[in-house]
Amino acid sequence: MIILGIDPGSRITGYGVIEWVNHKAKYIDSGCIRMDVKATTGNRLKTIFEGLDQLIGLYQPDVLSIEQVFVHKNPQSAIKLGQARGVVMCAAALANIEIHEYTPTRIKQTVVGNGHATKEQVQHMVEHLLKLSRKPQADAADALAIALTHGFHGPVLGVK
């Protein structure tokens, strides 16, 4: 099973691609879709959609896992995050890819063992679990953690 994990953002959207075979993860790719900070909201969302469309075409994932929305202190940030998530979910739905959502706490608990882990702890554990030669960029590490969470929990939940 190929899992595409996405950490959506209005400036940087992280992605991580793993293959899940026999209860083990194999690293395929990770990185970030970066938006032009001077671009309009519509153009930023278009950049996310086009980037996801390319990733889906390249890796043909079986499933997409994404972080569930959480409440921000700043309502404008929550709205922007929701827009980015919507574009990601739309791109996956158009490609007939199953979508699974996980809370930030569950992701950190699964990968680090602590639901309130720091970004640095997530990076370290992703590097360790996937036997990477160096720490991935923070947004890419979060996306890989989201993909790993589906690998660990999806089969237990009886989903692809």
Coordinates of all heavy atoms in Angstrom, one line a residue, residues 19-58:
E19 N 5.7 3.4 1.5 CA 5.1 2.1 1.2 C 4.9 1.3 2.4 O 5.9 1.2 3.2 CB 5.9 1.4 0.1 CG 5.2 0.1 -0.3 CD 6.0 -0.6 -1.5 OE1 7.1 -0.2 -1.7 OE2 5.4 -1.5 -2.1
W20 N 3.8 0.8 2.7 CA 3.5 0.0 3.9 C 3.4 -1.5 3.4 O 2.4 -1.9 2.7 CB 2.2 0.5 4.6 CG 2.1 -0.1 5.9 CD1 1.3 -1.1 6.3 CD2 2.7 0.4 7.1 NE1 1.4 -1.3 7.6 CE2 2.3 -0.4 8.2 CE3 3.6 1.4 7.4 CZ2 2.7 -0.2 9.5 CZ3 4.0 1.6 8.7 CH2 3.6 0.8 9.7
V21 N 4.3 -2.3 3.9 CA 4.4 -3.7 3.5 C 4.7 -4.6 4.7 O 5.7 -4.3 5.4 CB 5.4 -4.0 2.4 CG1 5.4 -5.5 2.0 CG2 5.2 -3.1 1.2
N22 N 3.9 -5.5 5.0 CA 4.1 -6.5 6.1 C 4.3 -5.7 7.4 O 5.3 -6.0 8.2 CB 5.2 -7.4 5.8 CG 4.9 -8.3 4.7 OD1 3.8 -8.7 4.5 ND2 6.0 -8.6 3.9
H23 N 3.5 -4.7 7.7 CA 3.6 -4.0 9.0 C 4.8 -3.1 9.1 O 5.2 -2.8 10.2 CB 3.4 -4.9 10.2 CG 2.2 -5.8 10.1 ND1 0.9 -5.3 10.2 CD2 2.1 -7.1 9.9 CE1 0.1 -6.3 10.1 NE2 0.8 -7.4 9.9
K24 N 5.5 -2.8 8.0 CA 6.7 -2.0 8.0 C 6.6 -0.9 6.9 O 6.0 -1.1 5.9 CB 7.9 -2.9 7.7 CG 8.2 -3.8 8.9 CD 9.5 -4.6 8.6 CE 9.7 -5.5 9.8 NZ 10.9 -6.3 9.6
A25 N 7.2 0.2 7.3 CA 7.2 1.4 6.4 C 8.5 1.4 5.6 O 9.6 1.2 6.2 CB 7.0 2.7 7.2
K26 N 8.4 1.8 4.3 CA 9.5 2.0 3.5 C 9.4 3.4 2.9 O 8.4 3.8 2.3 CB 9.6 1.0 2.3 CG 10.7 1.2 1.4 CD 10.6 0.2 0.2 CE 11.6 0.7 -0.9 NZ 11.3 0.1 -2.2
Y27 N 10.4 4.2 3.1 CA 10.4 5.6 2.7 C 10.5 5.6 1.2 O 11.3 4.9 0.5 CB 11.6 6.3 3.3 CG 11.8 7.8 2.8 CD1 11.1 8.8 3.3 CD2 12.7 8.0 1.7 CE1 11.2 10.1 2.9 CE2 12.9 9.3 1.3 CZ 12.1 10.4 1.8 OH 12.3 11.6 1.4
I28 N 9.7 6.5 0.6 CA 9.7 6.7 -0.9 C 10.1 8.1 -1.2 O 11.1 8.4 -1.9 CB 8.3 6.4 -1.5 CG1 8.0 4.9 -1.4 CG2 8.3 6.8 -3.0 CD1 6.7 4.5 -1.9
D29 N 9.4 9.1 -0.6 CA 9.8 10.5 -0.9 C 9.1 11.4 0.1 O 8.1 11.1 0.8 CB 9.3 10.9 -2.3 CG 9.8 12.2 -2.9 OD1 10.8 12.7 -2.3 OD2 9.1 12.8 -3.8
S30 N 9.6 12.6 0.2 CA 9.0 13.7 1.0 C 9.5 15.0 0.6 O 10.5 15.1 -0.1 CB 9.3 13.5 2.5 OG 10.7 13.6 2.7
G31 N 8.8 16.1 1.0 CA 9.2 17.4 0.6 C 8.1 18.4 0.9 O 7.2 18.1 1.7
C32 N 8.1 19.5 0.3 CA 7.2 20.6 0.5 C 6.7 21.3 -0.8 O 7.5 21.4 -1.7 CB 7.8 21.7 1.4 SG 8.3 21.1 3.0
I33 N 5.5 21.6 -0.8 CA 4.9 22.4 -1.8 C 4.9 23.8 -1.2 O 4.2 24.1 -0.2 CB 3.5 22.0 -2.2 CG1 3.5 20.6 -2.7 CG2 2.9 23.0 -3.2 CD1 2.1 20.0 -2.8
R34 N 5.7 24.7 -1.8 CA 5.9 26.1 -1.3 C 5.1 27.1 -2.1 O 5.2 27.1 -3.3 CB 7.3 26.5 -1.2 CG 8.1 25.6 -0.3 CD 9.6 26.0 -0.2 NE 10.4 25.0 0.5 CZ 10.4 25.0 1.9 NH1 9.8 25.9 2.6 NH2 11.1 24.0 2.5
M35 N 4.4 27.9 -1.4 CA 3.6 29.0 -2.1 C 4.3 30.3 -2.1 O 5.1 30.6 -1.2 CB 2.2 29.2 -1.3 CG 1.1 28.3 -1.7 SD 1.4 26.5 -1.7 CE 1.3 26.2 0.1
D36 N 4.1 31.1 -3.1 CA 4.6 32.4 -3.2 C 3.8 33.2 -2.2 O 2.6 33.4 -2.3 CB 4.3 33.0 -4.6 CG 4.8 34.4 -4.8 OD1 5.2 35.1 -3.8 OD2 4.8 34.9 -6.0
V37 N 4.5 33.8 -1.2 CA 3.8 34.5 -0.1 C 3.1 35.8 -0.6 O 2.3 36.3 0.1 CB 4.8 34.8 1.1 CG1 5.3 33.6 1.8 CG2 6.0 35.7 0.6
K38 N 3.5 36.2 -1.8 CA 2.9 37.4 -2.3 C 1.7 37.1 -3.2 O 1.0 38.0 -3.7 CB 3.9 38.3 -3.1 CG 5.0 38.8 -2.2 CD 6.0 39.5 -3.0 CE 7.2 40.0 -2.1 NZ 8.4 40.4 -2.8
A39 N 1.5 35.8 -3.5 CA 0.4 35.4 -4.4 C -1.0 35.6 -3.7 O -1.1 35.6 -2.4 CB 0.6 33.9 -4.8
T40 N -2.0 35.7 -4.5 CA -3.4 35.7 -3.9 C -3.7 34.4 -3.3 O -3.1 33.4 -3.6 CB -4.4 36.1 -5.1 OG1 -4.4 35.0 -6.0 CG2 -4.0 37.4 -5.8
T41 N -4.7 34.4 -2.5 CA -5.2 33.1 -1.9 C -5.6 32.1 -2.9 O -5.2 31.0 -2.8 CB -6.4 33.4 -1.0 OG1 -6.0 34.3 0.1 CG2 -6.9 32.1 -0.3
G42 N -6.3 32.6 -4.0 CA -6.7 31.7 -5.1 C -5.5 31.0 -5.7 O -5.5 29.8 -6.0
N43 N -4.4 31.8 -6.0 CA -3.2 31.2 -6.6 C -2.5 30.3 -5.7 O -1.9 29.3 -6.1 CB -2.3 32.4 -7.2 CG -2.9 32.9 -8.5 OD1 -3.5 32.2 -9.2 ND2 -2.6 34.2 -8.7
R44 N -2.5 30.6 -4.4 CA -1.8 29.7 -3.4 C -2.6 28.3 -3.4 O -1.9 27.3 -3.5 CB -1.9 30.3 -2.0 CG -0.9 31.4 -1.8 CD -0.9 31.8 -0.4 NE -0.2 33.0 -0.2 CZ 0.2 33.5 1.0 NH1 -0.2 32.8 2.1 NH2 0.9 34.5 1.1
L45 N -3.9 28.4 -3.4 CA -4.7 27.1 -3.4 C -4.5 26.4 -4.7 O -4.4 25.1 -4.7 CB -6.1 27.5 -3.2 CG -6.5 28.1 -1.8 CD1 -7.9 28.5 -1.7 CD2 -6.1 27.1 -0.7
K46 N -4.3 27.1 -5.8 CA -4.1 26.5 -7.1 C -2.7 25.8 -7.1 O -2.6 24.7 -7.6 CB -4.1 27.5 -8.2 CG -3.8 27.0 -9.6 CD -3.9 28.2 -10.6 CE -3.6 27.7 -12.0 NZ -2.3 28.2 -12.5
T47 N -1.7 26.4 -6.5 CA -0.4 25.8 -6.3 C -0.5 24.5 -5.5 O 0.2 23.5 -5.9 CB 0.6 26.8 -5.6 OG1 0.7 27.9 -6.5 CG2 2.0 26.1 -5.4
I48 N -1.2 24.5 -4.5 CA -1.4 23.3 -3.7 C -2.1 22.2 -4.5 O -1.6 21.0 -4.6 CB -2.2 23.5 -2.4 CG1 -1.5 24.5 -1.4 CG2 -2.6 22.2 -1.7 CD1 -2.4 25.0 -0.3
F49 N -3.1 22.5 -5.2 CA -3.9 21.6 -6.0 C -3.0 21.0 -7.1 O -2.9 19.7 -7.3 CB -5.1 22.2 -6.7 CG -5.9 21.2 -7.4 CD1 -6.9 20.5 -6.8 CD2 -5.7 21.0 -8.8 CE1 -7.6 19.5 -7.5 CE2 -6.4 20.1 -9.5 CZ -7.4 19.3 -8.9
E50 N -2.2 21.8 -7.8 CA -1.4 21.3 -8.9 C -0.2 20.5 -8.4 O 0.1 19.5 -9.0 CB -0.8 22.5 -9.7 CG -1.9 23.2 -10.5 CD -1.4 24.5 -11.2 OE1 -0.3 25.1 -10.8 OE2 -2.1 25.0 -12.1
G51 N 0.3 20.9 -7.2 CA 1.4 20.0 -6.6 C 0.9 18.7 -6.2 O 1.5 17.7 -6.4
L52 N -0.3 18.6 -5.6 CA -0.9 17.4 -5.2 C -1.3 16.5 -6.4 O -1.0 15.3 -6.4 CB -2.2 17.6 -4.4 CG -2.1 17.4 -2.9 CD1 -1.9 16.0 -2.5 CD2 -1.1 18.3 -2.2
D53 N -1.8 17.1 -7.4 CA -2.1 16.4 -8.6 C -0.9 15.8 -9.2 O -0.9 14.6 -9.6 CB -2.7 17.4 -9.6 CG -3.4 16.7 -10.8 OD1 -4.2 15.7 -10.6 OD2 -3.1 17.1 -12.0
Q54 N 0.3 16.5 -9.2 CA 1.5 15.9 -9.7 C 2.0 14.7 -8.8 O 2.4 13.7 -9.4 CB 2.6 16.9 -9.7 CG 2.5 17.9 -10.9 CD 3.6 18.9 -10.9 OE1 4.3 19.2 -9.8 NE2 3.9 19.5 -12.0
L55 N 1.9 14.9 -7.5 CA 2.3 13.8 -6.6 C 1.4 12.6 -6.8 O 1.9 11.4 -6.8 CB 2.2 14.3 -5.1 CG 3.3 15.3 -4.7 CD1 2.9 15.9 -3.4 CD2 4.7 14.7 -4.7
I56 N 0.1 12.8 -6.9 CA -0.8 11.7 -7.1 C -0.5 11.0 -8.4 O -0.4 9.7 -8.5 CB -2.3 12.2 -7.1 CG1 -2.6 12.5 -5.6 CG2 -3.2 11.1 -7.6 CD1 -3.9 13.3 -5.5
G57 N -0.2 11.7 -9.5 CA 0.1 11.1 -10.8 C 1.4 10.3 -10.7 O 1.6 9.3 -11.3
L58 N 2.4 10.9 -10.0 CA 3.7 10.2 -9.9 C 3.7 9.0 -9.0 O 4.3 8.0 -9.4 CB 4.7 11.3 -9.3 CG 6.2 10.8 -9.2 CD1 6.8 10.5 -10.6 CD2 7.0 12.0 -8.5

